[in-house]
Amino acid sequence: MRLSQSPSVRNLMKWAGISAALALPMLALLLLAGRPAAAQEKELKVAYMKHPIQDASAEMLEKWGQANGVKIVKIATAYEVFFEKVSASLTSGSDQYDLIWHNDDWGQNWAKWLVTTDDVPNMKVVDRFPVDKIFANADGKDTVVPMVHTVGTFFYRTDLLKESEFPKTWKELVTVSQRLQKEGKVKWGIVGGMKYPHTWFSLLWSMWSDGCDILKPFNERDNKVLAANGWKTGMADPCMQDVAEFWWDAINTYKITPPGAVTYSRTDANAIFEAGDAAITMADSTFYGEFMDPEKSKVAGKVSFGAFPIGPRGKRHVAWNDIWGWAIPKGVPPERQKLAKQALNAMLADTAGQVAMWKATGGPPPNVKVQEMLRKTDPVFKRLASVTLDNVDRKGGFHSAYYFPEWGRVHKEFSDAMIEAISGKREDIPKVLKEADARVHKAAIGG
């Protein structure tokens, strides 16, 4: 029966004194307004940081969404406030976000407020080393789906150094840097972020390369073991003195690093390298795309990867292998949790998308099968893997952070102490580090 012939509609029209020409559009609008929510377009709200890696991963989610009638709504938040803002949403039980960027730095802080992801089928194709323990909840269940591997690497100018000339030790790093400076080819030998929280690119890599660590036992990331050892620190150990003295000398004696390095963020150091003023820098591999972009970098097309130079107490090249990922808050309704897991499962299976992410950014894909394919077909990825992934000690190797709630405070106390030592008199370094031992320990125990 047509609407215009319905007795109820006809009576309504007569009562209201309106014509069929007006009534039919009005009725159609009423019917549309009364449609159930399930018939409307589905959507997933994604909280992320504006970053090439996360943009590339979100593109894979959007591709899946377009194929499955799901709108991906991206909500960008600055790094400086991301943790606090998303933490507030999680602890309130809100469904403000369906998917959130998840970082290994705060894996344990969020675990109890996140949905488990063990049931995402394609979790079987990810590397377990950066996932186990770090992102597990109290029951040992995963609470993350990896989007990319984050590996720290040295970048060097291939127009200045051959692969065989890249320094293998701290001593060689000094020698090579001074030679290039003397030849007038660069202003600085090496630059790297140093101020908190950018210490990975100077203080932390060198500490680990010297067989050292912030807490004891060195390289341990099991919180139960750290607690059983009383959260003792390595701040007053000889190896930590090595690290402080190396950077003091790099700035003041050898002058291979800018005097303002103690105030540098990663962005500051990257800018110096991109301007062609330094031969070597240390950063996440995900900056390869930026360094090779001729619109941003004067060294584009002349960059390769190098392994961490070994310190005087170090035994071998070391590297970290961790991840960024996506997580699902518990406050999300079950039907959207299911939808989010479908999107993440598709992302892990998107070979073309992961290869595109690698090509654009330098971020190793989360799917290990895609990694293996790239090792065989892409010389650049093979080189990166040889100096990073292949140097990860999976039995006794460190991760690039600690995984207990007080880690942020420990990191800050460590950074402040090291910069104080490097900024003062060289002969005062042992005293400064000894005094810092108590502060770092207090931070670790939550005091």
Side-chain angles (χ1 to χ4, degrees), residues 50-65:
K50 193 68 178 172
H51 184 283
I53 287 291
Q54 295 181 41
D55 286 336
S57 188
E59 284 180 13
M60 289 182 253
L61 299 178
E62 289 175 314
K63 180 166 59 175
W64 172 86

Side-chain angles (χ1 to χ4, degrees), residues 336-414:
R336 296 214 308 268
Q337 290 184 20
K338 182 178 180 180
L339 206 59
K341 288 183 179 182
Q342 290 172 357
L344 296 177
N345 191 58
M347 178 202 70
L348 287 176
D350 189 347
T351 298
Q354 291 182 53
V355 170
M357 178 179 69
W358 153 251
K359 295 286 188 182
T361 67
N367 187 323
V368 293
K369 294 181 179 179
V370 178
Q371 287 188 23
E372 289 307 310
M373 180 195 73
L374 288 171
R375 282 178 182 266
K376 297 175 182 177
T377 60
D378 189 322
V380 177
F381 185 85
K382 184 178 180 180
R383 172 62 181 169
L384 175 65
S386 71
V387 301
T388 57
L389 299 175
D390 294 348
N391 285 330
V392 174
D393 180 355
R394 290 173 174 266
K395 291 184 178 179
F398 63 90
H399 287 278
S400 61
Y402 283 91
Y403 304 105
F404 53 91
E406 292 78 19
W407 158 238
R409 286 187 58 203
V410 169
H411 186 193
K412 181 67 164 59
E413 290 289 354
F414 164 80

Side-chain angles (χ1 to χ4, degrees), residues 1-11 13:
M1 185 187 302
R2 296 206 316 262
L3 287 176
S4 60
Q5 295 176 332
S6 167
S8 59
V9 172
R10 191 166 54 248
N11 292 338
M13 289 159 51

Side-chain angles (χ1 to χ4, degrees), residues 219-386:
N219 295 344
E220 182 59 63
R221 294 298 182 268
D222 188 323
N223 294 335
K224 293 180 180 178
V225 176
L226 294 169
N229 199 47
W231 300 98
K232 293 178 182 177
T233 89
M235 294 304 297
D237 278 40
C239 61
M240 198 68 74
Q241 185 174 330
D242 287 347
V243 177
E245 290 178 346
F246 170 76
W247 288 107
W248 195 98
D249 289 339
I251 293 170
N252 299 288
T253 303
Y254 305 126
K255 303 184 186 303
I256 61 173
T257 292
V262 292
T263 68
Y264 284 2
S265 69
R266 172 177 58 193
T267 303
D268 298 324
N270 287 355
I272 292 173
F273 183 70
E274 289 170 21
D277 290 336
I280 299 167
T281 192
M282 199 277 180
D284 291 313
S285 74
T286 52
F287 283 94
Y288 181 71
E290 180 178 316
F291 292 161
M292 294 292 280
D293 184 347
E295 294 186 1
K296 297 180 179 180
S297 172
K298 291 184 179 180
V299 298
K302 299 177 288 189
V303 177
S304 189
F305 307 108
F308 297 13
I310 304 170
R313 300 173 199 272
K315 305 298 183 184
R316 57 186 289 273
H317 291 300
V318 296
W320 68 71
N321 177 17
D322 293 300
I323 62 164
W324 282 358
W326 297 109
I328 306 168
K330 282 185 176 180
V332 175
E335 64 274 14
R336 296 214 308 268
Q337 290 184 20
K338 182 178 180 180
L339 206 59
K341 288 183 179 182
Q342 290 172 357
L344 296 177
N345 191 58
M347 178 202 70
L348 287 176
D350 189 347
T351 298
Q354 291 182 53
V355 170
M357 178 179 69
W358 153 251
K359 295 286 188 182
T361 67
N367 187 323
V368 293
K369 294 181 179 179
V370 178
Q371 287 188 23
E372 289 307 310
M373 180 195 73
L374 288 171
R375 282 178 182 266
K376 297 175 182 177
T377 60
D378 189 322
V380 177
F381 185 85
K382 184 178 180 180
R383 172 62 181 169
L384 175 65
S386 71

Side-chain angles (χ1 to χ4, degrees), residues 2-82:
R2 296 206 316 262
L3 287 176
S4 60
Q5 295 176 332
S6 167
S8 59
V9 172
R10 191 166 54 248
N11 292 338
L12 176 63
M13 289 159 51
K14 183 185 290 185
W15 177 80
I18 57 178
S19 68
L22 290 174
L24 288 175
M26 290 173 62
L27 184 60
L29 287 173
L30 288 170
L31 292 172
L32 284 172
R35 287 173 62 190
Q40 298 176 5
E41 183 181 27
K42 299 174 183 177
E43 69 176 28
L44 291 173
K45 299 183 292 296
V46 181
Y48 78 118
M49 176 181 70
K50 193 68 178 172
H51 184 283
I53 287 291
Q54 295 181 41
D55 286 336
S57 188
E59 284 180 13
M60 289 182 253
L61 299 178
E62 289 175 314
K63 180 166 59 175
W64 172 86
Q66 291 168 2
N68 291 274
V70 180
K71 183 180 180 181
I72 304 297
V73 180
K74 297 186 293 183
I75 304 168
T77 302
Y79 173 73
E80 288 76 10
V81 299
F82 188 91

